[in-house]
PDB file of all heavy atoms in Angstrom:
ATOM      1  N   LYS S  47     -45.240 110.408  87.427  1.00 88.00           N
ATOM      2  CA  LYS S  47     -44.598 111.339  88.358  1.00 88.00           C
ATOM      3  C   LYS S  47     -45.561 112.490  88.678  1.00 88.00           C
ATOM      4  O   LYS S  47     -46.321 112.940  87.831  1.00 88.00           O
ATOM      5  CB  LYS S  47     -43.286 111.860  87.778  1.00 88.00           C
ATOM      6  CG  LYS S  47     -42.191 110.804  87.751  1.00 88.00           C
ATOM      7  CD  LYS S  47     -40.883 111.380  87.226  1.00 88.00           C
ATOM      8  CE  LYS S  47     -39.732 110.401  87.417  1.00 88.00           C
ATOM      9  NZ  LYS S  47     -39.920 109.107  86.771  1.00 88.00           N
ATOM     10  N   ALA S  48     -45.492 112.974  89.912  1.00 87.00           N
ATOM     11  CA  ALA S  48     -46.428 114.010  90.380  1.00 87.00           C
ATOM     12  C   ALA S  48     -46.026 115.391  89.888  1.00 87.00           C
ATOM     13  O   ALA S  48     -44.841 115.664  89.637  1.00 87.00           O
ATOM     14  CB  ALA S  48     -46.478 113.988  91.908  1.00 87.00           C
ATOM     15  N   CYS S  49     -47.021 116.266  89.777  1.00 90.00           N
ATOM     16  CA  CYS S  49     -46.825 117.684  89.445  1.00 90.00           C
ATOM     17  C   CYS S  49     -46.033 117.888  88.153  1.00 90.00           C
ATOM     18  O   CYS S  49     -45.026 118.614  88.118  1.00 90.00           O
ATOM     19  CB  CYS S  49     -46.126 118.424  90.591  1.00 90.00           C
ATOM     20  SG  CYS S  49     -47.134 118.537  92.078  1.00 90.00           S
ATOM     21  N   VAL S  50     -46.470 117.205  87.103  1.00 91.00           N
ATOM     22  CA  VAL S  50     -45.832 117.345  85.797  1.00 91.00           C
ATOM     23  C   VAL S  50     -46.834 117.940  84.818  1.00 91.00           C
ATOM     24  O   VAL S  50     -47.881 117.354  84.547  1.00 91.00           O
ATOM     25  CB  VAL S  50     -45.321 115.985  85.264  1.00 91.00           C
ATOM     26  CG1 VAL S  50     -44.757 116.150  83.863  1.00 91.00           C
ATOM     27  CG2 VAL S  50     -44.269 115.397  86.198  1.00 91.00           C
ATOM     28  N   PHE S  51     -46.509 119.107  84.302  1.00 94.00           N
ATOM     29  CA  PHE S  51     -47.347 119.750  83.282  1.00 94.00           C
ATOM     30  C   PHE S  51     -46.653 119.625  81.939  1.00 94.00           C
ATOM     31  O   PHE S  51     -45.485 119.989  81.788  1.00 94.00           O
ATOM     32  CB  PHE S  51     -47.565 121.226  83.607  1.00 94.00           C
ATOM     33  CG  PHE S  51     -48.239 121.987  82.505  1.00 94.00           C
ATOM     34  CD1 PHE S  51     -49.603 121.828  82.270  1.00 94.00           C
ATOM     35  CD2 PHE S  51     -47.513 122.849  81.678  1.00 94.00           C
ATOM     36  CE1 PHE S  51     -50.235 122.527  81.242  1.00 94.00           C
ATOM     37  CE2 PHE S  51     -48.140 123.551  80.657  1.00 94.00           C
ATOM     38  CZ  PHE S  51     -49.506 123.387  80.441  1.00 94.00           C
ATOM     39  N   SER S  52     -47.366 119.110  80.944  1.00 95.00           N
ATOM     40  CA  SER S  52     -46.784 118.898  79.625  1.00 95.00           C
ATOM     41  C   SER S  52     -47.647 119.560  78.561  1.00 95.00           C
ATOM     42  O   SER S  52     -48.876 119.443  78.579  1.00 95.00           O
ATOM     43  CB  SER S  52     -46.658 117.395  79.330  1.00 95.00           C
ATOM     44  OG  SER S  52     -46.067 117.181  78.058  1.00 95.00           O
ATOM     45  N   PHE S  53     -46.977 120.249  77.638  1.00 95.00           N
ATOM     46  CA  PHE S  53     -47.706 120.914  76.554  1.00 95.00           C
ATOM     47  C   PHE S  53     -46.893 120.804  75.272  1.00 95.00           C
ATOM     48  O   PHE S  53     -45.672 120.970  75.285  1.00 95.00           O
ATOM     49  CB  PHE S  53     -47.950 122.387  76.892  1.00 95.00           C
ATOM     50  CG  PHE S  53     -48.812 123.103  75.882  1.00 95.00           C
ATOM     51  CD1 PHE S  53     -50.191 122.940  75.889  1.00 95.00           C
ATOM     52  CD2 PHE S  53     -48.242 123.918  74.912  1.00 95.00           C
ATOM     53  CE1 PHE S  53     -50.987 123.590  74.955  1.00 95.00           C
ATOM     54  CE2 PHE S  53     -49.030 124.572  73.982  1.00 95.00           C
ATOM     55  CZ  PHE S  53     -50.407 124.403  74.002  1.00 95.00           C
ATOM     56  N   THR S  54     -47.582 120.544  74.154  1.00 94.00           N
ATOM     57  CA  THR S  54     -46.918 120.337  72.866  1.00 94.00           C
ATOM     58  C   THR S  54     -47.379 121.373  71.849  1.00 94.00           C
ATOM     59  O   THR S  54     -48.574 121.623  71.698  1.00 94.00           O
ATOM     60  CB  THR S  54     -47.227 118.933  72.313  1.00 94.00           C
ATOM     61  OG1 THR S  54     -46.782 117.952  73.255  1.00 94.00           O
ATOM     62  CG2 THR S  54     -46.525 118.702  70.982  1.00 94.00           C
ATOM     63  N   GLY S  55     -46.419 121.975  71.154  1.00 91.00           N
ATOM     64  CA  GLY S  55     -46.742 122.903  70.086  1.00 91.00           C
ATOM     65  C   GLY S  55     -47.136 122.160  68.824  1.00 91.00           C
ATOM     66  O   GLY S  55     -46.630 121.064  68.556  1.00 91.00           O
ATOM     67  N   TYR S  56     -48.038 122.750  68.059  1.00 89.00           N
ATOM     68  CA  TYR S  56     -48.510 122.144  66.815  1.00 89.00           C
ATOM     69  C   TYR S  56     -48.076 122.985  65.622  1.00 89.00           C
ATOM     70  O   TYR S  56     -48.139 124.221  65.653  1.00 89.00           O
ATOM     71  CB  TYR S  56     -50.036 122.022  66.794  1.00 89.00           C
ATOM     72  CG  TYR S  56     -50.603 121.038  67.784  1.00 89.00           C
ATOM     73  CD1 TYR S  56     -51.917 121.147  68.226  1.00 89.00           C
ATOM     74  CD2 TYR S  56     -49.834 119.995  68.291  1.00 89.00           C
ATOM     75  CE1 TYR S  56     -52.459 120.246  69.127  1.00 89.00           C
ATOM     76  CE2 TYR S  56     -50.352 119.094  69.192  1.00 89.00           C
ATOM     77  CZ  TYR S  56     -51.666 119.220  69.617  1.00 89.00           C
ATOM     78  OH  TYR S  56     -52.188 118.334  70.521  1.00 89.00           O
ATOM     79  N   GLU S  57     -47.677 122.305  64.575  1.00 84.00           N
ATOM     80  CA  GLU S  57     -47.266 122.972  63.347  1.00 84.00           C
ATOM     81  C   GLU S  57     -48.428 123.767  62.741  1.00 84.00           C
ATOM     82  O   GLU S  57     -49.566 123.295  62.672  1.00 84.00           O
ATOM     83  CB  GLU S  57     -46.785 121.909  62.353  1.00 84.00           C
ATOM     84  CG  GLU S  57     -46.331 122.444  61.029  1.00 84.00           C
ATOM     85  CD  GLU S  57     -45.932 121.331  60.077  1.00 84.00           C
ATOM     86  OE1 GLU S  57     -45.910 120.156  60.502  1.00 84.00           O
ATOM     87  OE2 GLU S  57     -45.667 121.644  58.909  1.00 84.00           O
ATOM     88  N   GLU S  58     -48.113 124.990  62.341  1.00 79.00           N
ATOM     89  CA  GLU S  58     -49.055 125.861  61.620  1.00 79.00           C
ATOM     90  C   GLU S  58     -50.282 126.268  62.439  1.00 79.00           C
ATOM     91  O   GLU S  58     -51.244 126.795  61.895  1.00 79.00           O
ATOM     92  CB  GLU S  58     -49.492 125.223  60.298  1.00 79.00           C
ATOM     93  CG  GLU S  58     -48.338 125.021  59.322  1.00 79.00           C
ATOM     94  CD  GLU S  58     -48.786 124.462  57.993  1.00 79.00           C
ATOM     95  OE1 GLU S  58     -49.992 124.178  57.831  1.00 79.00           O
ATOM     96  OE2 GLU S  58     -47.938 124.312  57.106  1.00 79.00           O
ATOM     97  N   GLU S  59     -50.257 126.019  63.747  1.00 85.00           N
ATOM     98  CA  GLU S  59     -51.364 126.482  64.583  1.00 85.00           C
ATOM     99  C   GLU S  59     -51.205 127.975  64.852  1.00 85.00           C
ATOM    100  O   GLU S  59     -50.107 128.447  65.157  1.00 85.00           O
ATOM    101  CB  GLU S  59     -51.384 125.713  65.905  1.00 85.00           C
ATOM    102  CG  GLU S  59     -52.557 126.081  66.806  1.00 85.00           C
ATOM    103  CD  GLU S  59     -52.566 125.252  68.088  1.00 85.00           C
ATOM    104  OE1 GLU S  59     -51.550 125.296  68.819  1.00 85.00           O
ATOM    105  OE2 GLU S  59     -53.571 124.579  68.335  1.00 85.00           O
ATOM    106  N   ALA S  60     -52.293 128.725  64.748  1.00 86.00           N
ATOM    107  CA  ALA S  60     -52.247 130.167  65.008  1.00 86.00           C
ATOM    108  C   ALA S  60     -51.826 130.429  66.449  1.00 86.00           C
ATOM    109  O   ALA S  60     -52.183 129.679  67.369  1.00 86.00           O
ATOM    110  CB  ALA S  60     -53.613 130.782  64.737  1.00 86.00           C
ATOM    111  N   GLY S  61     -51.051 131.504  66.654  1.00 84.00           N
ATOM    112  CA  GLY S  61     -50.551 131.815  67.990  1.00 84.00           C
ATOM    113  C   GLY S  61     -51.645 131.980  69.015  1.00 84.00           C
ATOM    114  O   GLY S  61     -51.528 131.503  70.157  1.00 84.00           O
ATOM    115  N   ARG S  62     -52.735 132.634  68.642  1.00 87.00           N
ATOM    116  CA  ARG S  62     -53.837 132.838  69.576  1.00 87.00           C
ATOM    117  C   ARG S  62     -54.468 131.508  69.980  1.00 87.00           C
ATOM    118  O   ARG S  62     -54.791 131.301  71.153  1.00 87.00           O
ATOM    119  CB  ARG S  62     -54.899 133.748  68.953  1.00 87.00           C
ATOM    120  CG  ARG S  62     -56.051 134.073  69.890  1.00 87.00           C
ATOM    121  CD  ARG S  62     -57.048 135.036  69.249  1.00 87.00           C
ATOM    122  NE  ARG S  62     -56.469 136.345  69.023  1.00 87.00           N
ATOM    123  CZ  ARG S  62     -57.152 137.380  68.541  1.00 87.00           C
ATOM    124  NH1 ARG S  62     -58.427 137.249  68.230  1.00 87.00           N
ATOM    125  NH2 ARG S  62     -56.554 138.549  68.379  1.00 87.00           N
ATOM    126  N   THR S  63     -54.592 130.602  69.005  1.00 89.00           N
ATOM    127  CA  THR S  63     -55.159 129.281  69.295  1.00 89.00           C
ATOM    128  C   THR S  63     -54.247 128.497  70.233  1.00 89.00           C
ATOM    129  O   THR S  63     -54.716 127.826  71.162  1.00 89.00           O
ATOM    130  CB  THR S  63     -55.364 128.490  67.986  1.00 89.00           C
ATOM    131  OG1 THR S  63     -56.180 129.242  67.100  1.00 89.00           O
ATOM    132  CG2 THR S  63     -56.008 127.146  68.261  1.00 89.00           C
ATOM    133  N   THR S  64     -52.939 128.594  69.992  1.00 90.00           N
ATOM    134  CA  THR S  64     -51.972 127.902  70.862  1.00 90.00           C
ATOM    135  C   THR S  64     -52.081 128.408  72.294  1.00 90.00           C
ATOM    136  O   THR S  64     -52.094 127.619  73.250  1.00 90.00           O
ATOM    137  CB  THR S  64     -50.537 128.126  70.349  1.00 90.00           C
ATOM    138  OG1 THR S  64     -50.404 127.573  69.050  1.00 90.00           O
ATOM    139  CG2 THR S  64     -49.522 127.465  71.274  1.00 90.00           C
ATOM    140  N   ARG S  65     -52.169 129.720  72.481  1.00 90.00           N
ATOM    141  CA  ARG S  65     -52.245 130.276  73.833  1.00 90.00           C
ATOM    142  C   ARG S  65     -53.545 129.901  74.530  1.00 90.00           C
ATOM    143  O   ARG S  65     -53.556 129.643  75.738  1.00 90.00           O
ATOM    144  CB  ARG S  65     -52.072 131.801  73.762  1.00 90.00           C
ATOM    145  CG  ARG S  65     -50.666 132.226  73.357  1.00 90.00           C
ATOM    146  CD  ARG S  65     -50.442 133.717  73.513  1.00 90.00           C
ATOM    147  NE  ARG S  65     -51.224 134.498  72.568  1.00 90.00           N
ATOM    148  CZ  ARG S  65     -50.839 134.793  71.335  1.00 90.00           C
ATOM    149  NH1 ARG S  65     -49.673 134.342  70.871  1.00 90.00           N
ATOM    150  NH2 ARG S  65     -51.602 135.545  70.553  1.00 90.00           N
ATOM    151  N   ARG S  66     -54.657 129.847  73.783  1.00 91.00           N
ATOM    152  CA  ARG S  66     -55.917 129.411  74.373  1.00 91.00           C
ATOM    153  C   ARG S  66     -55.827 127.952  74.807  1.00 91.00           C
ATOM    154  O   ARG S  66     -56.311 127.574  75.878  1.00 91.00           O
ATOM    155  CB  ARG S  66     -57.067 129.582  73.378  1.00 91.00           C
ATOM    156  CG  ARG S  66     -57.408 131.010  73.026  1.00 91.00           C
ATOM    157  CD  ARG S  66     -57.810 131.840  74.218  1.00 91.00           C
ATOM    158  NE  ARG S  66     -58.957 131.283  74.938  1.00 91.00           N
ATOM    159  CZ  ARG S  66     -59.358 131.686  76.135  1.00 91.00           C
ATOM    160  NH1 ARG S  66     -58.700 132.635  76.770  1.00 91.00           N
ATOM    161  NH2 ARG S  66     -60.412 131.154  76.711  1.00 91.00           N
ATOM    162  N   ARG S  67     -55.217 127.150  73.971  1.00 92.00           N
ATOM    163  CA  ARG S  67     -55.065 125.728  74.299  1.00 92.00           C
ATOM    164  C   ARG S  67     -54.163 125.551  75.512  1.00 92.00           C
ATOM    165  O   ARG S  67     -54.416 124.708  76.384  1.00 92.00           O
ATOM    166  CB  ARG S  67     -54.502 124.995  73.074  1.00 92.00           C
ATOM    167  CG  ARG S  67     -54.516 123.484  73.165  1.00 92.00           C
ATOM    168  CD  ARG S  67     -54.302 122.845  71.798  1.00 92.00           C
ATOM    169  NE  ARG S  67     -53.094 123.291  71.145  1.00 92.00           N
ATOM    170  CZ  ARG S  67     -51.889 122.765  71.346  1.00 92.00           C
ATOM    171  NH1 ARG S  67     -51.749 121.747  72.195  1.00 92.00           N
ATOM    172  NH2 ARG S  67     -50.831 123.219  70.698  1.00 92.00           N
ATOM    173  N   PHE S  68     -53.093 126.345  75.575  1.00 92.00           N
ATOM    174  CA  PHE S  68     -52.186 126.311  76.715  1.00 92.00           C
ATOM    175  C   PHE S  68     -52.931 126.706  77.995  1.00 92.00           C
ATOM    176  O   PHE S  68     -52.795 126.053  79.040  1.00 92.00           O
ATOM    177  CB  PHE S  68     -51.017 127.263  76.480  1.00 92.00           C
ATOM    178  CG  PHE S  68     -49.887 127.111  77.457  1.00 92.00           C
ATOM    179  CD1 PHE S  68     -48.706 126.499  77.080  1.00 92.00           C
ATOM    180  CD2 PHE S  68     -49.994 127.583  78.759  1.00 92.00           C
ATOM    181  CE1 PHE S  68     -47.659 126.349  77.977  1.00 92.00           C
ATOM    182  CE2 PHE S  68     -48.965 127.454  79.663  1.00 92.00           C
ATOM    183  CZ  PHE S  68     -47.787 126.826  79.265  1.00 92.00           C
ATOM    184  N   ALA S  69     -53.719 127.786  77.926  1.00 92.00           N
ATOM    185  CA  ALA S  69     -54.460 128.265  79.095  1.00 92.00           C
ATOM    186  C   ALA S  69     -55.406 127.195  79.625  1.00 92.00           C
ATOM    187  O   ALA S  69     -55.502 126.970  80.846  1.00 92.00           O
ATOM    188  CB  ALA S  69     -55.244 129.525  78.725  1.00 92.00           C
ATOM    189  N   LYS S  70     -56.104 126.528  78.719  1.00 93.00           N
ATOM    190  CA  LYS S  70     -57.027 125.466  79.126  1.00 93.00           C
ATOM    191  C   LYS S  70     -56.281 124.315  79.787  1.00 93.00           C
ATOM    192  O   LYS S  70     -56.706 123.793  80.832  1.00 93.00           O
ATOM    193  CB  LYS S  70     -57.805 124.967  77.909  1.00 93.00           C
ATOM    194  CG  LYS S  70     -58.811 123.878  78.234  1.00 93.00           C
ATOM    195  CD  LYS S  70     -59.550 123.418  76.980  1.00 93.00           C
ATOM    196  CE  LYS S  70     -60.527 122.285  77.320  1.00 93.00           C
ATOM    197  NZ  LYS S  70     -61.236 121.794  76.094  1.00 93.00           N
ATOM    198  N   ALA S  71     -55.155 123.929  79.195  1.00 94.00           N
ATOM    199  CA  ALA S  71     -54.366 122.819  79.753  1.00 94.00           C
ATOM    200  C   ALA S  71     -53.812 123.174  81.134  1.00 94.00           C
ATOM    201  O   ALA S  71     -53.804 122.339  82.055  1.00 94.00           O
ATOM    202  CB  ALA S  71     -53.229 122.460  78.800  1.00 94.00           C
ATOM    203  N   TRP S  72     -53.350 124.429  81.300  1.00 93.00           N
ATOM    204  CA  TRP S  72     -52.805 124.846  82.595  1.00 93.00           C
ATOM    205  C   TRP S  72     -53.901 124.897  83.666  1.00 93.00           C
ATOM    206  O   TRP S  72     -53.688 124.473  84.805  1.00 93.00           O
ATOM    207  CB  TRP S  72     -52.112 126.191  82.476  1.00 93.00           C
ATOM    208  CG  TRP S  72     -51.537 126.659  83.784  1.00 93.00           C
ATOM    209  CD1 TRP S  72     -52.040 127.602  84.619  1.00 93.00           C
ATOM    210  CD2 TRP S  72     -50.355 126.148  84.422  1.00 93.00           C
ATOM    211  NE1 TRP S  72     -51.251 127.728  85.729  1.00 93.00           N
ATOM    212  CE2 TRP S  72     -50.208 126.852  85.645  1.00 93.00           C
ATOM    213  CE3 TRP S  72     -49.417 125.182  84.090  1.00 93.00           C
ATOM    214  CZ2 TRP S  72     -49.156 126.617  86.515  1.00 93.00           C
ATOM    215  CZ3 TRP S  72     -48.365 124.942  84.962  1.00 93.00           C
ATOM    216  CH2 TRP S  72     -48.234 125.647  86.160  1.00 93.00           C
ATOM    217  N   ASP S  73     -55.070 125.379  83.323  1.00 92.00           N
ATOM    218  CA  ASP S  73     -56.178 125.421  84.282  1.00 92.00           C
ATOM    219  C   ASP S  73     -56.588 124.018  84.715  1.00 92.00           C
ATOM    220  O   ASP S  73     -56.901 123.781  85.888  1.00 92.00           O
ATOM    221  CB  ASP S  73     -57.381 126.148  83.663  1.00 92.00           C
ATOM    222  CG  ASP S  73     -57.188 127.667  83.640  1.00 92.00           C
ATOM    223  OD1 ASP S  73     -56.179 128.136  84.209  1.00 92.00           O
ATOM    224  OD2 ASP S  73     -58.036 128.366  83.051  1.00 92.00           O
ATOM    225  N   GLU S  74     -56.567 123.080  83.766  1.00 93.00           N
ATOM    226  CA  GLU S  74     -56.890 121.688  84.108  1.00 93.00           C
ATOM    227  C   GLU S  74     -55.822 121.102  85.019  1.00 93.00           C
ATOM    228  O   GLU S  74     -56.120 120.330  85.946  1.00 93.00           O
ATOM    229  CB  GLU S  74     -57.021 120.851  82.836  1.00 93.00           C
ATOM    230  CG  GLU S  74     -58.257 121.163  82.007  1.00 93.00           C
ATOM    231  CD  GLU S  74     -58.300 120.374  80.713  1.00 93.00           C
ATOM    232  OE1 GLU S  74     -57.319 119.658  80.421  1.00 93.00           O
ATOM    233  OE2 GLU S  74     -59.305 120.478  79.986  1.00 93.00           O
ATOM    234  N   PHE S  75     -54.576 121.464  84.799  1.00 92.00           N
ATOM    235  CA  PHE S  75     -53.468 120.965  85.612  1.00 92.00           C
ATOM    236  C   PHE S  75     -53.558 121.482  87.046  1.00 92.00           C
ATOM    237  O   PHE S  75     -53.351 120.743  88.017  1.00 92.00           O
ATOM    238  CB  PHE S  75     -52.147 121.381  84.975  1.00 92.00           C
ATOM    239  CG  PHE S  75     -50.932 121.124  85.823  1.00 92.00           C
ATOM    240  CD1 PHE S  75     -50.487 119.825  86.061  1.00 92.00           C
ATOM    241  CD2 PHE S  75     -50.235 122.183  86.391  1.00 92.00           C
ATOM    242  CE1 PHE S  75     -49.361 119.601  86.854  1.00 92.00           C
ATOM    243  CE2 PHE S  75     -49.109 121.959  87.171  1.00 92.00           C
ATOM    244  CZ  PHE S  75     -48.673 120.658  87.408  1.00 92.00           C
ATOM    245  N   THR S  76     -53.894 122.755  87.199  1.00 90.00           N
ATOM    246  CA  THR S  76     -53.932 123.365  88.529  1.00 90.00           C
ATOM    247  C   THR S  76     -55.282 123.184  89.225  1.00 90.00           C
ATOM    248  O   THR S  76     -55.372 123.312  90.448  1.00 90.00           O
ATOM    249  CB  THR S  76     -53.646 124.869  88.434  1.00 90.00           C
ATOM    250  OG1 THR S  76     -54.671 125.493  87.636  1.00 90.00           O
ATOM    251  CG2 THR S  76     -52.279 125.126  87.833  1.00 90.00           C
ATOM    252  N   GLY S  77     -56.326 122.910  88.456  1.00 89.00           N
ATOM    253  CA  GLY S  77     -57.665 122.836  89.032  1.00 89.00           C
ATOM    254  C   GLY S  77     -58.249 124.197  89.320  1.00 89.00           C
ATOM    255  O   GLY S  77     -59.259 124.320  90.024  1.00 89.00           O
ATOM    256  N   GLU S  78     -57.636 125.247  88.776  1.00 86.00           N
ATOM    257  CA  GLU S  78     -58.111 126.615  88.973  1.00 86.00           C
ATOM    258  C   GLU S  78     -58.438 127.234  87.615  1.00 86.00           C
ATOM    259  O   GLU S  78     -57.636 127.176  86.697  1.00 86.00           O
ATOM    260  CB  GLU S  78     -57.026 127.467  89.646  1.00 86.00           C
ATOM    261  CG  GLU S  78     -56.556 126.921  90.979  1.00 86.00           C
ATOM    262  CD  GLU S  78     -55.352 127.702  91.503  1.00 86.00           C
ATOM    263  OE1 GLU S  78     -54.786 128.505  90.724  1.00 86.00           O
ATOM    264  OE2 GLU S  78     -54.982 127.504  92.664  1.00 86.00           O
ATOM    265  N   ARG S  79     -59.612 127.809  87.491  1.00 84.00           N
ATOM    266  CA  ARG S  79     -59.994 128.418  86.221  1.00 84.00           C
ATOM    267  C   ARG S  79     -59.623 129.902  86.251  1.00 84.00           C
ATOM    268  O   ARG S  79     -60.420 130.752  86.644  1.00 84.00           O
ATOM    269  CB  ARG S  79     -61.483 128.240  85.949  1.00 84.00           C
ATOM    270  CG  ARG S  79     -61.877 128.603  84.521  1.00 84.00           C
ATOM    271  CD  ARG S  79     -63.307 128.195  84.213  1.00 84.00           C
ATOM    272  NE  ARG S  79     -63.629 128.504  82.825  1.00 84.00           N
ATOM    273  CZ  ARG S  79     -64.089 129.676  82.405  1.00 84.00           C
ATOM    274  NH1 ARG S  79     -64.296 130.639  83.286  1.00 84.00           N
ATOM    275  NH2 ARG S  79     -64.353 129.870  81.125  1.00 84.00           N
ATOM    276  N   LYS S  80     -58.386 130.194  85.866  1.00 85.00           N
ATOM    277  CA  LYS S  80     -57.908 131.575  85.891  1.00 85.00           C
ATOM    278  C   LYS S  80     -57.493 132.053  84.499  1.00 85.00           C
ATOM    279  O   LYS S  80     -57.994 133.057  84.011  1.00 85.00           O
ATOM    280  CB  LYS S  80     -56.748 131.711  86.876  1.00 85.00           C
ATOM    281  CG  LYS S  80     -57.195 131.526  88.326  1.00 85.00           C
ATOM    282  CD  LYS S  80     -56.116 131.946  89.292  1.00 85.00           C
ATOM    283  CE  LYS S  80     -56.641 131.870  90.726  1.00 85.00           C
ATOM    284  NZ  LYS S  80     -55.625 132.299  91.703  1.00 85.00           N
ATOM    285  N   LEU S  81     -56.571 131.337  83.863  1.00 86.00           N
ATOM    286  CA  LEU S  81     -56.160 131.739  82.526  1.00 86.00           C
ATOM    287  C   LEU S  81     -57.321 131.658  81.538  1.00 86.00           C
ATOM    288  O   LEU S  81     -57.424 132.456  80.610  1.00 86.00           O
ATOM    289  CB  LEU S  81     -55.003 130.858  82.037  1.00 86.00           C
ATOM    290  CG  LEU S  81     -53.618 131.160  82.619  1.00 86.00           C
ATOM    291  CD1 LEU S  81     -52.605 130.139  82.142  1.00 86.00           C
ATOM    292  CD2 LEU S  81     -53.170 132.563  82.250  1.00 86.00           C
TER     293      LEU S  81
END
Side-chain angles (χ1 to χ4, degrees):
K47 289 183 170 58
C49 293
V50 176
F51 171 75
S52 181
F53 186 79
T54 301
Y56 292 157
E57 180 183 354
E58 297 183 357
E59 183 178 57
R62 183 177 294 184
T63 304
T64 298
R65 291 190 292 274
R66 293 301 302 168
R67 190 165 55 85
F68 191 106
K70 181 180 178 182
W72 180 257
D73 284 354
E74 289 176 355
F75 171 70
T76 62
E78 303 172 349
R79 192 170 182 273
K80 292 192 175 181
L81 283 175

